[in-house]
Amino acid sequence: MVSRVIPVDPFDLVIFGGTGDLARRKILPGLYRRFCSGQMPEGARIIGAARTETDSEGYRKIVSDAIHEFDPKSAQCGKLDAFLSLLEYETVDAMGEAGWNELRPHLRDGHVRAFYFSVGPSLFGILAERLSHFGLVDDESRIVIEKPLGHDLATAKELNATLGAYFDESQIYRIDHYLGKETVQNLMAVRFGNILFEPLWNAQHIDHIQITVAETVGVGGRGGYYDKSGAMRDMVQNHLMQLLCLIAMEPPSQFEPNSVRDEKLKVIRALQPVPPHHIVRGQYDATDSEPSYREDVENARSFTESFIALRCEIANWRWAGTPFYMRTGKKLKARTSEIAVRFKPAPHSIFGEDKETGSQPNELIIRLQPNEGITLSVTIKEPGPGGMRLVNVPLDMTFAEALGEEAEAPDAYERLIMDVIRGNQTLFMRGDEVEAAWAWTDPIIEGWQARHDVPKLYDVGSAGPDDALMLLHRDNRKWRDIKA
Ligand code: BG6
């Protein structure tokens, strides 16, 4: 199966923070891959804007180096010079006056105009104001921002209000890069493109759902940011919440931005408060050769969690009584992200005791990374003589195998940036979703602070603190193994 590439119309994309880490690692190599694939047209213009003193020629060199460093494979596609010729640069002082008037000649009338705020969140509001002040915003303009979108409900509201003063909601693209992952979108295709799953997709037929996002990396050089956030703010309030929404939402009437986002919002609003005994927080401990979390963040008294596991419930007709277990953490056993939907056992076994026959409940595993794909475990008869022994085999829909080399999934960023250009907000968070997610998160975090909750230590390379295992054992269930 060959992937179809539908080119977008020529556009102007201004990247504020265009010389920064995110731009060099993700945004520019991603754009280059879209250019190689033929999706980004020759008539596009990418304008780097940052404080760095350089010019368009200097910027082309910065971007060329970044592509060679962060995506050496694509650098070979043979179109690098043509891509670099689309780049321009302007030195702009976000906080001051310098560079703003000079930015105007880079922008063409009648083209989509996207402003990517690849800068710290403290500049989001300032950039929005400056763009408006210097008359750089037209009807075709849109802005792109990424988390942290506030630190709590109050600051998220403040940010939404500030951006809302200059841009309509339909012009604000809030990235959650998990929504750009191939399998996350496939999850919607599997749920709503087939008749098989939806009739079973409820509390009557599903025993529970596990969402795991495990990482092997620590907090690395991001200690300053991370220690003020922790796994709850850094991962659960956004990425895991989005996964939960897509798994749990009602079928939208159309695959269209507001239909999808309305349904996600209903899920977040139906999330029950989580009692303290349904949450386990952890911090990774030191090993002989590696520092502890506290050493990594240089805060010997840190109570911030680098791991969290929660048991959540959604109070609506579809899901009442079905636990959604979520966990995420740093320095765990393997890098793996997956959603596991565990169905209930068949109501009656005609083959005898399940323990004897080997029958197991069905499980649908949606693997986000690595090896993106979807597996459905089904029970069949073990081949050969020897009576009716049953085995569980996976129906494997690993995309790389099913679709061949062409199926190499585009990086989340490149897909999402093309959606910005196309003006499709389906895979972007709406302001009210972000606020609702904080409204659920805030009391949980406030509870820890009020109780002086201390995270449990866990070993590097483990599955998190033992208490996280207990969270499921208490319910007579078991986490799936964390393995790559
Ligand atoms: C980011 C978090 O949003 O997502 C990081 O800030 C985390 O802490 C990262 O490591 C995980 O993303 P991915 O795509 O590597 O799973």
Side-chain angles (χ1 to χ4, degrees), residues 39-88:
Q39 191 170 28
M40 197 180 125
E42 301 270 350
R45 222 179 240 188
I46 299 166
I47 303 117
R51 256 186 324 194
T52 312
E53 293 284 350
T54 184
D55 55 12
S56 296
E57 214 34 61
Y59 191 51
R60 290 185 192 118
K61 168 89 173 72
I62 293 173
V63 175
S64 168
D65 289 350
I67 291 174
H68 280 104
E69 180 177 353
F70 296 115
D71 193 359
K73 192 166 152 224
S74 295
Q76 310 301 326
C77 100
K79 296 187 185 173
L80 191 55
D81 286 342
F83 177 75
L84 295 176
S85 73
L86 311 179
L87 300 179
E88 300 176 9

Side-chain angles (χ1 to χ4, degrees), residues 427-441:
L427 298 175
F428 296 82
M429 292 177 295
R430 211 167 52 191
D432 51 4
E433 266 182 81
V434 176
E435 290 182 16
W438 281 120
W440 176 80
T441 311

